[in-house]
Amino acid sequence: MSKSLIISILFLLFACYSCLVKKSGRQSLYELQQSAGSFSKNDSLSIINAYTFPEGNAATGYQYLLYGNAFSSGIPESLYKKVLFGKNTMVASLTGYNKYVLNDFVAFKNKDGNVTVSPGCLHCHAQKFNDQLIIGLGNSYSNFQDDKTHYLKLAEKVTKLLYGKKSKEWKTAERAFESGYFLAPQIITEMQGPTSAHRILEMMAAHRDPQTLLFRADTSYFDIPPIVIPTDIPPLWNSKKKKAFTINAMEQGDLLKHLMSPTIIIFTDTAEANEIYKNIKDVWAYFTTLEAPKYPYKVDEAAAEQGKLIFSKNCSSCHGTYGNNEYYPEKLVPGEIIETDSLMLKYYANYPEFAEWFNKSWFASASSPAFIKPQPGYVAPPLNGVWITAPYLHNGSVPTIEEVLNSNLRPRYWQRSFTKEKYDYEKVGWQYKKLKTHGGKKTYNTDIPGYGNYGHYFGDHLSDKERKDLIEYLKTL
């Protein structure tokens, strides 16, 4: 049996084993839900402060997104290509190194002349849909349910075995493994689909000096609780219309620094951060060229016209207007009004340490600072391409638009396929199975704090016909 085959079998066994490892952190969610701390009560909509919008080159940004070294540490390309995945079949039109790379990763030639495969932005910000990779679509297949530590340990052993502990290949990979070990047991979500993006940033920041950004696994610059807040990833094509990049509008100031903040996972220090920062303006320029995919089937035009009137009367004051006179009002909807799951709001009201670290760090320095200011509500997003962005609400707790507009239909426990694409183009969202009990690990359990499907009751007063007409209109956006 060849060495590559043996290693592949070991990887598979460890990957399967890692799926059995589950963090027992659910109690912390219930404790936060019961806590008294929260933002001051607010029953009025507010306008969000503007970003600084940079200029850049979209074509250059596209190349950097796919081939750049924003995440500069990773495994050798030969290991990735021959042992892990083989030739790529998911990302269209990639050539050279990246024809072997899935959309989760990028491959680039590092300073030593070796080709390295590292994490990439498209892990979260692209999804295969209807046999096409849709760049900018939030990845609703994300899986942060399991502790991957055992998988990482095996990958480290294989890398050292094949290349040697003193090799350039291991030197390039070492930081990625260090970060991976640190994060793996700390970023586990209760179910598949939502991401732990906020938690990842906080965990890495807590062990980086705010001025130098040097990573110290043995040093904590602030304490963070064992709480993972789930987040559904919004589509990037709407970012150009928004002044708030995040769901709770807390990231303000210099947009570029917020865009590059996920690279805190791997970068070394402020020198490398500055280099990444120079390239991100082009990535942002590319994001501004993204457009929402068109609904692929016939729309009932007469119903859509009626739906447009219903939308104008009931929805446009928060979600904006569309067509020839587009307008997006940039409104933050307080928790007292929208009434959706408030655990994210409570978290940042109770634990301000990350915001305090960020606001005295390199990110907040220089002539164009970024800063974090947690807000007491959630942003009403633009709805371009809303038909393809299921599941819905800020935590991905509602599978279709039909249930967003009629809260009585929302399933308490539901399952969707994560292996086959099963989409409902009429109700608009994922086909799903409604369960009577909380089921297993692939079941969305809305009883768990942070994963609640309540709130946004603004469509409940509509008739069934009005909802159907409104859905027809939303297909056109």
Side-chain angles (χ1 to χ4, degrees):
M1 188 178 293
S2 68
K3 180 187 292 185
S4 294
L5 181 57
I6 292 173
I7 292 172
S8 297
I9 293 172
L10 288 172
F11 264 113
L12 180 61
L13 290 173
F14 270 79
C16 292
Y17 176 73
S18 69
C19 291
L20 301 176
V21 181
K22 188 73 174 72
K23 175 178 178 284
S24 179
R26 189 175 298 182
Q27 183 59 34
S28 62
L29 298 175
Y30 286 98
E31 290 173 357
L32 177 59
Q33 186 181 52
Q34 298 300 319
S35 66
S38 187
F39 288 98
S40 300
K41 287 189 176 296
N42 182 10
D43 60 0
S44 61
L45 302 173
S46 57
I47 306 301
I48 302 160
N49 292 330
Y51 277 127
T52 301
F53 286 95
E55 295 183 1
N57 184 291
T60 302
Y62 176 72
Q63 293 298 313
Y64 188 76
L65 184 68
L66 297 183
Y67 303 97
N69 63 342
F71 296 89
S72 59
S73 178
I75 63 174
E77 182 240 11
S78 55
L79 173 62
Y80 182 98
K81 180 175 66 175
K82 295 177 181 177
V83 177
L84 294 179
F85 295 108
K87 189 174 181 179
N88 164 45
T89 59
M90 287 188 68
V91 180
S93 303
L94 291 186
T95 58
Y97 311 131
N98 286 304
K99 68 182 179 180
Y100 293 102
V101 181
L102 300 177
N103 59 294
D104 291 26
F105 301 88
V106 295
F108 60 92
K109 184 172 285 189
N110 59 40
K111 294 178 181 179
D112 296 325
N114 297 313
V115 179
T116 297
V117 175
S118 72
C121 300
L122 299 187
H123 172 78
C124 289
H125 296 289
Q127 180 182 298
K128 189 178 180 182
F129 192 96
N130 199 19
D131 292 325
Q132 295 183 353
L133 184 78
I134 310 297
I135 295 179
L137 177 61
N139 181 10
S140 67
Y141 289 87
S142 294
N143 190 352
F144 290 86
Q145 276 191 294
D146 307 304
D147 185 346
K148 303 297 193 299
T149 299
H150 298 280
Y151 187 86
L152 289 167
K153 286 182 178 179
L154 180 61
E156 178 184 356
K157 290 179 180 179
V158 171
T159 305
K160 289 179 178 178
L161 173 66
L162 295 180
Y163 302 98
K165 295 180 181 179
K166 297 183 179 180
S167 65
K168 293 179 179 179
E169 287 84 358
W170 170 247
K171 183 178 179 182
T172 301
E174 190 171 9
R175 276 186 293 123
F177 281 109
E178 182 181 40
S179 297
Y181 285 135
F182 182 70
L183 289 173
Q186 304 290 341
I187 60 174
I188 298 171
T189 56
E190 294 291 331
M191 55 208 70
Q192 187 171 351
T195 73
S196 49
H198 290 266
R199 176 73 170 181
I200 291 170
L201 291 179
E202 289 195 13
M203 289 299 301
M204 295 306 297
H207 294 270
R208 286 189 183 272
D209 180 277
Q211 274 70 54
T212 66
L213 297 182
L214 290 170
F215 179 77
R216 289 285 302 275
D218 61 346
T219 301
S220 294
Y221 292 92
F222 61 92
D223 294 327
I224 56 177
I227 297 171
V228 179
I229 304 295
T231 306
D232 184 61
I233 306 168
L236 286 176
W237 53 74
N238 283 329
S239 298
K240 59 192 171 189
K241 300 179 70 172
K242 299 165 60 180
K243 295 176 183 176
F245 197 66
T246 49
I247 292 166
N248 62 347
M250 73 177 189
E251 294 184 357
Q252 300 182 20
D254 188 341
L255 172 67
L256 298 186
K257 288 180 178 175
H258 290 303
L259 285 177
M260 65 166 286
S261 61
T263 63
I264 196 175
I265 296 172
I266 289 178
F267 66 51
T268 52
D269 52 25
T270 54
E272 187 172 349
N274 278 313
E275 288 301 312
I276 297 170
Y277 179 69
K278 293 175 184 177
N279 291 292
I280 295 298
K281 69 179 185 301
D282 296 325
V283 175
W284 169 251
Y286 170 68
F287 287 165
T288 64
T289 69
L290 295 173
E291 296 292 339
K294 301 296 183 184
Y295 182 77
Y297 297 108
K298 186 177 180 179
V299 173
D300 185 329
E301 294 183 5
E305 280 298 314
Q306 292 300 310
K308 183 177 182 179
L309 297 176
I310 296 167
F311 184 88
S312 178
K313 181 179 179 180
N314 295 275
C315 314
S316 62
S317 62
C318 288
H319 291 287
T321 58
Y322 301 82
N324 294 330
N325 299 309
E326 283 203 352
Y327 169 69
Y328 177 59
E330 304 282 2
K331 286 186 178 178
L332 184 81
V333 186
E336 286 77 12
I337 293 178
I338 194 169
E339 298 184 89
T340 51
D341 191 299
S342 63
L343 208 71
M344 182 185 293
L345 307 183
K346 276 198 169 186
Y347 180 85
Y348 286 106
N350 281 272
Y351 303 104
E353 291 82 3
F354 171 62
E356 293 169 356
W357 178 93
F358 192 96
N359 293 339
K360 65 181 180 182
S361 74
W362 170 88
F363 290 96
S365 64
S367 57
S368 184
F371 59 95
I372 286 180
K373 184 180 180 182
Q375 303 294 310
Y378 297 118
V379 179
L383 298 179
N384 300 84
V386 67
W387 71 268
I388 200 177
T389 62
Y392 300 100
L393 299 190
H394 69 274
N395 53 10
S397 59
V398 180
T400 74
I401 289 179
E402 182 182 66
E403 283 110 6
V404 172
L405 297 176
N406 186 350
S407 66
N408 295 316
L409 299 179
R410 295 175 193 173
R412 182 178 179 183
Y413 312 116
W414 57 278
Q415 287 182 341
R416 53 161 284 206
S417 174
F418 287 98
T419 56
K420 293 182 179 180
E421 182 183 301
K422 297 181 178 181
Y423 214 69
D424 189 323
Y425 289 91
E426 292 307 309
K427 296 180 179 180
V428 186
W430 291 105
Q431 294 181 27
Y432 68 92
K433 180 180 180 181
K434 189 175 183 179
L435 303 178
K436 293 182 179 180
T437 63
H438 57 75
K441 63 184 298 182
K442 296 300 181 184
T443 300
Y444 200 109
N445 180 355
T446 65
D447 291 344
I448 301 173
Y451 299 83
N453 65 356
Y454 45 86
H456 197 285
Y457 300 123
F458 309 121
D460 283 1
H461 71 283
L462 300 175
S463 68
D464 289 343
K465 183 182 183 306
E466 287 174 323
R467 292 190 196 98
K468 288 181 179 179
D469 290 345
L470 181 52
I471 288 174
E472 285 301 301
Y473 173 65
L474 293 174
K475 293 175 183 177
T476 71
L477 301 184

